[in-house]
């Protein structure tokens, strides 16, 4: 399997993802809203993970990013990244899981140790910007992480539903509401900001259609 390499406190950390689980959202009125489980979770193939690729290539024009935080679980530590759950919106109306499988999960190259931000987790801020086809850069999402399921609850949900061991598990959190609905664009940027320590995780990528 492909190794994901992150920079944590100036040091390189290599993690081999054994599995990927994306948490769903009901904010956009998609098929996930009909799930009897809250939140819905979707196991995906590890190859969907891309660390700071700079660009993603998609097969249709109706795709868009979703701001999220990501968790990477190891036996030593759980790491936090800024993430985008890029999604094919046409396929989403048929199958949420397939819409997430066909598009990548984009992760920031820099990461934090969860143990360092646990005590002020709810004060972290998640933001995203999209660049439209006309070149306009627009604020797309903005919310505190208190609006999303806490990491401990998310980890417990994934372990209960999908089994263990958790070592090597990558989880994307699900997203927060958009400012103007779902808007496909040519570039997407996500930031996870820590106002307590005044630092930011960031990942941005261009979207190219084949």
């Amino acid at each position: 399997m492909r190794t994901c390499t992150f920079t944590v406190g100036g040091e390189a950390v290599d993690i081999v993802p054994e599995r990927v689980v994306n948490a769903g959202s009901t904010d956009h009125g998609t098929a996930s809203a009909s799930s009897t489980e809250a939140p819905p979770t979707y196991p995906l193939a590890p190859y969907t993970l891309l660390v700071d690729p700079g660009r993603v290539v998609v097969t249709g024009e109706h795709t868009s990013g979703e701001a999220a935080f990501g968790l990477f679980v190891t036996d030593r530590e759980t790491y936090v990244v800024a993430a985008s759950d890029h999604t094919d919106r046409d396929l989403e109306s048929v199958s949420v899981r397939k819409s997430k499988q066909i598009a990548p999960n984009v992760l920031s190259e820099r990461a934090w140790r969860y143990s360092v931000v646990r005590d002020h987790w709810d004060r972290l801020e998640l933001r995203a910007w999209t660049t439209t086809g006309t070149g306009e850069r627009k604020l797309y999402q903005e919310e505190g992480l208190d609006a999303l399921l806490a990491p401990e609850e998310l980890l417990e949900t994934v372990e209960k539903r999908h089994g263990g061991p958790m070592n090597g598990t990558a989880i994307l959190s699900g997203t927060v509401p958009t400012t103007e609905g779902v808007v496909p664009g040519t570039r997407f940027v996500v930031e996870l900001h820590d106002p307590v320590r005044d630092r930011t995780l960031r990942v941005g990528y261009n979207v190219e259609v084949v």
Side-chain angles (χ1 to χ4, degrees):
M1 291 185 181
R2 181 191 307 166
T3 299
C4 293
T5 301
F6 302 99
T7 300
V8 184
E11 298 181 355
V13 175
D14 294 330
I15 305 174
V16 177
E18 299 291 340
R19 63 176 175 179
V20 178
V21 178
N22 285 23
S25 170
T26 60
D27 293 323
H28 305 306
T30 62
S32 63
S34 63
S35 173
T36 57
E37 297 180 311
T41 53
Y42 307 97
L44 305 176
Y47 69 74
T48 59
L49 297 179
L50 298 177
V51 179
D52 196 17
R55 68 165 187 161
V56 301
V57 180
V58 296
T59 57
E61 295 184 353
H62 198 211
T63 73
S64 60
E66 290 186 349
F69 68 82
L71 300 174
F72 248 105
V73 184
T74 73
D75 288 337
R76 306 177 305 278
E77 177 69 87
T78 295
Y79 298 95
V80 180
V81 296
S84 173
D85 177 3
H86 205 84
T87 303
D88 186 305
R89 300 302 175 183
D90 290 331
L91 188 55
E92 188 176 40
S93 64
V94 178
S95 168
V96 175
R97 181 178 179 181
K98 289 180 180 179
S99 73
K100 296 179 181 299
Q101 182 71 62
I102 201 172
N105 289 311
V106 180
L107 312 178
S108 61
E109 187 273 335
R110 290 179 56 238
W112 298 329
R113 291 176 176 84
Y114 176 56
S115 58
V116 174
V117 295
R118 180 190 290 117
D119 290 344
H120 59 281
W121 180 262
D122 284 352
R123 297 184 62 183
L124 302 186
E125 303 161 352
L126 187 63
R127 297 184 182 89
W129 292 263
T130 189
T131 301
T132 67
T134 62
E136 181 183 7
R137 187 176 188 262
K138 303 173 66 173
L139 181 66
Y140 189 66
Q141 295 169 285
E142 185 174 31
E143 196 73 69
L145 290 194
D146 56 344
L148 292 171
L149 201 65
E152 286 85 357
E153 296 175 274
L154 191 56
L155 292 167
E156 182 180 356
T157 297
V158 169
E159 186 171 18
K160 180 178 179 180
R161 291 182 188 169
H162 304 288
M166 293 292 286
N167 182 46
T169 299
I171 304 172
L172 265 68
S173 64
T175 197
V176 297
T178 61
T179 57
E180 300 180 11
V182 174
V183 180
T186 59
R187 182 168 175 79
F188 198 72
V189 177
V190 178
E191 288 186 354
L192 182 59
H193 179 63
D194 179 352
V196 174
R197 291 177 171 263
D198 191 24
R199 58 181 184 169
T200 302
L201 298 176
R202 181 181 296 107
V203 64
Y205 58 93
N206 297 330
V207 181
E208 298 181 12
V209 181
V210 294

